[in-house]
């Protein structure tokens, strides 16, 4: 461990001790904080060589929205969900329609408002104006943006309790994240944690227990089952063109896993790509059959990384989780990462063939998703106050 990383850990511990004198410590579940290791971060050369591509983006709805995590793009129309619980239909850069899954809510927009206001994270089109929306707190819904009809397919507690006996009694803070349609009757949902809710994402990241899952749900029967367990902050899900397998981001391990749902390898899981130059978020197919992956933060050779510096020190992380208040974990830790924004393009064989950068974070940071409409790339973010757009080269 470098001197810089050692000094960082010492400074965090000092800050934690100071908080200890004024905050009551929180009880941490036994075994919820574990040691782990990651490969040495990759060098940014070859297909990962820095460029200025992301500094050329145009903004859509700058400072009018926050956290457009997932996007569906159809010509000049964009559908998304935002941090304040809204579902938006955006036409030619203007909000044409907005809806809410939560009823009779007034103040929304903060992390502590999420449980009552909802936080829509995954959105996929079924057909026409019909979409499936996964909300981290409220459940899974079928939404028609034209008629404004909202049909609750599965309330969160019911959804999760059907896939594991008495789940909610054991893990009351499950957090559904992102979803991918297999057909009009089937979809996949990734569940990042069975210990912490969405607003406490940094507790899951620091704990690194690995309770994430991918769940399959059939609409017509209401049946759900778990396809993969033990993922470390399961995130974006994407069916591959072979229709026999899907990939899922294992965010805090900087890798993407592949699981087979058909064919000779049915039921097996393997590593699709590892040691990414950041923590993978959403995965989307491009128009040429490759995959675009947004990276929520970066990791690179020669750059200090606060989280990875503490990977082998579970007791230190457990102490921080017990002492530091949520706002410090949530709002301060993410600012310790470099501002460098990266998205990567990957083949269906798990090879990086290109990357787009904003090295200084001048125009882009923390990209959650890249959507390709053939002419433009559109960029979502879990916290940015805009959607970004870039003409393809």
């Amino acid at each position: 461990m470098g001197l810089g990383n050692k000094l960082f850990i010492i400074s965090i511990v000092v800050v934690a001790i100071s908080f200890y004198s004024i905050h009551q410590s929180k009880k941490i579940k036994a075994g919820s904080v574990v040691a782990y290791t990651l490969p040495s971060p990759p060098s940014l050369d070859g297909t990962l060589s820095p460029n200025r591509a992301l500094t050329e983006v145009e903004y859509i709805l700058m400072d009018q929205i926050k956290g457009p995590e997932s996007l569906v793009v159809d010509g000049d129309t964009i559908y998304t969900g935002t941090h304040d619980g809204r579902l938006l239909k955006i036409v030619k850069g203007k909000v044409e329609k907005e809806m809410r899954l939560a009823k009779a809510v007034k103040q929304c927009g903060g992390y502590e408002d999420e449980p009552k206001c909802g936080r829509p994270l995954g959105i996929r089109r079924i057909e026409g104006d019909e979409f499936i929306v996964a909300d981290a707190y409220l459940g899974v819904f079928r939404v028609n943006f034209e008629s404004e009809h909202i049909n609750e397919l599965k309330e969160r507690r019911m959804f999760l309790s059907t896939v594991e006996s008495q789940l909610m009694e054991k893990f009351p803070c499950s957090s559904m994240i992102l979803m991918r349609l297999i057909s009009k009757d089937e979809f996949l949902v990734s569940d990042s944690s069975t210990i912490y809710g969405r607003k406490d994402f940094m507790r899951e990241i620091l704990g690194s227990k690995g309770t994430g899952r991918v769940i399959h749900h059939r609409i017509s029967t209401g049946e759900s089952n778990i396809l993969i367990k033990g993922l470390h902050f399961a995130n974006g899900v994407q069916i591959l063109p072979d229709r026999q397998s899907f990939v899922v981001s294992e965010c805090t391990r900087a890798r993407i896993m592949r699981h087979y749902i058909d064919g000779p390898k049915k039921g097996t899981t393997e590593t699709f790509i590892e040691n990414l130059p950041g923590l993978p978020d959403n995965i989307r197919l491009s128009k040429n059959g490759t995959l675009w992956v947004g990276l929520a933060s970066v990791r690179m050779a020669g750059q200090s990384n606060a989280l990875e510096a503490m990977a082998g020190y579970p007791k230190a992380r457990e102490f921080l989780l017990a002492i530091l208040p949520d706002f410090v974990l949530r709002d301060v830790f993410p600012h310790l990462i470099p501002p460098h924004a990266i998205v990567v393009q990957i083949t269906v064989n798990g090879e990086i063939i290109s990357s787009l950068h904003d090295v200084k974070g001048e125009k882009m940071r923390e990209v959650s998703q890249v959507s390709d409409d053939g002419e433009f790339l559109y960029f979502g973010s879990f916290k940015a106050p805009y959607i970004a757009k870039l003409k393809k080269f």
Side-chain angles (χ1 to χ4, degrees):
M1 183 190 299
L3 177 60
N5 285 334
K6 287 181 179 178
L7 291 175
F8 166 78
I9 292 176
I10 292 171
S11 65
I12 288 294
V13 171
V14 170
V15 171
I17 292 172
S18 68
F19 271 110
Y20 184 79
S21 63
I22 55 176
H23 291 275
Q24 184 177 2
S25 63
K26 295 185 177 182
K27 186 176 181 180
I28 305 302
K29 285 189 176 183
S32 64
V33 183
V34 299
Y36 65 97
T37 58
L38 290 178
S40 297
S43 298
L44 297 189
D45 52 28
T47 56
L48 289 176
S49 294
N51 53 58
R52 292 183 54 81
L54 294 182
T55 65
E56 304 298 322
V57 299
E58 304 171 28
Y59 292 137
I60 299 172
L61 295 175
M62 170 60 106
D63 293 329
Q64 298 178 56
I65 58 176
K66 182 181 178 183
E69 163 94 17
S70 180
L71 311 173
V72 172
V73 179
D74 182 10
D76 58 9
T77 303
I78 302 172
Y79 302 87
T80 190
T82 55
H83 190 209
D84 58 3
R86 291 183 296 164
L87 296 174
L88 303 179
K89 179 180 180 180
I90 303 163
V91 181
K92 296 181 179 179
K94 297 182 179 180
V95 176
E96 182 178 271
K97 187 168 291 187
E98 67 175 67
M99 306 164 62
R100 286 189 180 275
L101 301 176
K103 299 177 181 179
V105 291
K106 295 181 180 180
Q107 181 178 341
C108 297
Y111 281 108
E112 298 306 320
D113 300 322
E114 287 187 359
K116 63 181 176 67
C117 297
R119 180 42 166 127
L121 292 173
I123 180 169
R124 297 279 189 163
R125 171 177 261 140
I126 302 176
E127 60 180 346
D129 294 310
E130 293 273 334
F131 293 79
I132 294 283
V133 176
D135 188 285
Y137 300 90
L138 304 178
V140 182
F141 297 80
R142 187 168 187 148
V143 176
N144 188 305
F145 277 88
E146 182 62 29
S147 67
E148 300 188 25
H149 178 71
I150 297 175
N151 178 32
E152 186 177 60
L153 296 178
K154 208 78 170 181
E155 192 268 334
R156 182 179 68 95
R157 288 179 174 268
M158 290 179 61
F159 180 85
L160 294 172
S161 63
T162 61
V163 297
E164 190 163 310
S165 177
Q166 296 182 328
L167 178 68
M168 297 314 297
E169 283 71 33
K170 297 177 183 178
F171 308 115
C173 294
S174 246
S175 175
M176 288 187 291
I177 298 296
L178 301 162
M179 139 274 296
R180 171 61 185 168
L181 288 168
I182 298 176
S183 68
K184 294 179 183 179
D185 190 44
E186 301 172 85
F187 60 83
L188 303 173
V189 173
S190 63
D191 179 23
S192 64
S193 173
T194 58
I195 299 176
Y196 299 107
R198 216 290 304 195
K199 67 184 181 69
D200 298 319
F201 63 93
M202 279 305 302
R203 292 189 174 277
E204 175 64 26
I205 290 173
L206 281 173
S208 200
K209 173 67 173 176
T211 63
R213 307 167 301 168
V214 175
I215 301 165
H216 170 271
H217 181 75
R218 187 176 296 277
I219 298 172
S220 58
T221 64
E223 295 178 353
S224 303
N225 62 85
I226 298 171
L227 299 182
I228 315 176
K229 288 184 178 182
L231 296 173
H232 295 84
F233 210 99
N235 220 314
V237 181
Q238 176 64 51
I239 298 289
L240 293 181
D242 64 6
R243 308 296 296 177
Q244 293 188 353
S245 60
F246 66 84
V247 287
V248 56
S249 294
E250 199 170 12
C251 186
T252 54
R253 290 299 183 267
R255 66 188 176 195
I256 297 173
M257 305 301 290
R258 183 177 191 171
H259 182 82
Y260 291 85
I261 54 176
D262 204 352
K265 290 187 176 181
K266 183 177 180 179
T268 63
T269 305
E270 62 189 26
T271 300
F272 180 70
I273 185 171
E274 60 183 343
N275 203 25
L276 288 164
L279 306 185
D281 206 323
N282 292 4
I283 307 170
R284 290 294 186 272
L285 278 173
S286 71
K287 289 297 184 180
N288 65 8
T290 58
L291 301 167
W292 281 108
V293 182
L295 300 179
S297 66
V298 298
R299 52 189 301 272
M300 65 192 85
Q303 177 71 59
S304 296
N305 187 303
L307 291 175
E308 291 184 34
M310 294 189 292
Y313 299 89
K315 291 297 183 182
R317 286 183 283 122
E318 185 174 324
F319 177 68
L320 296 179
L321 286 171
I323 301 305
L324 294 179
D326 290 334
F327 79 89
V328 172
L329 294 172
R330 194 166 51 220
D331 300 331
V332 175
F333 264 83
H335 288 290
L336 298 176
I337 63 175
H340 192 149
I342 309 177
V343 302
V344 292
Q345 186 179 21
I346 304 175
T347 70
V348 293
N349 296 317
E351 300 175 359
I352 296 175
I353 58 173
S354 73
S355 59
L356 308 178
H357 300 247
D358 182 347
V359 176
K360 297 180 180 179
E362 299 172 53
K363 297 289 289 290
M364 292 282 293
R365 290 190 66 173
E366 298 148 336
V367 180
S368 63
Q369 182 180 309
V370 185
S371 293
D372 179 0
D373 79 343
E375 183 179 2
F376 293 93
L377 297 177
Y378 294 81
F379 303 90
S381 171
F382 58 89
K383 65 187 297 186
Y386 54 76
I387 295 169
K389 174 182 177 181
L390 177 69
K391 190 170 181 61
K392 294 175 68 174
F393 303 113

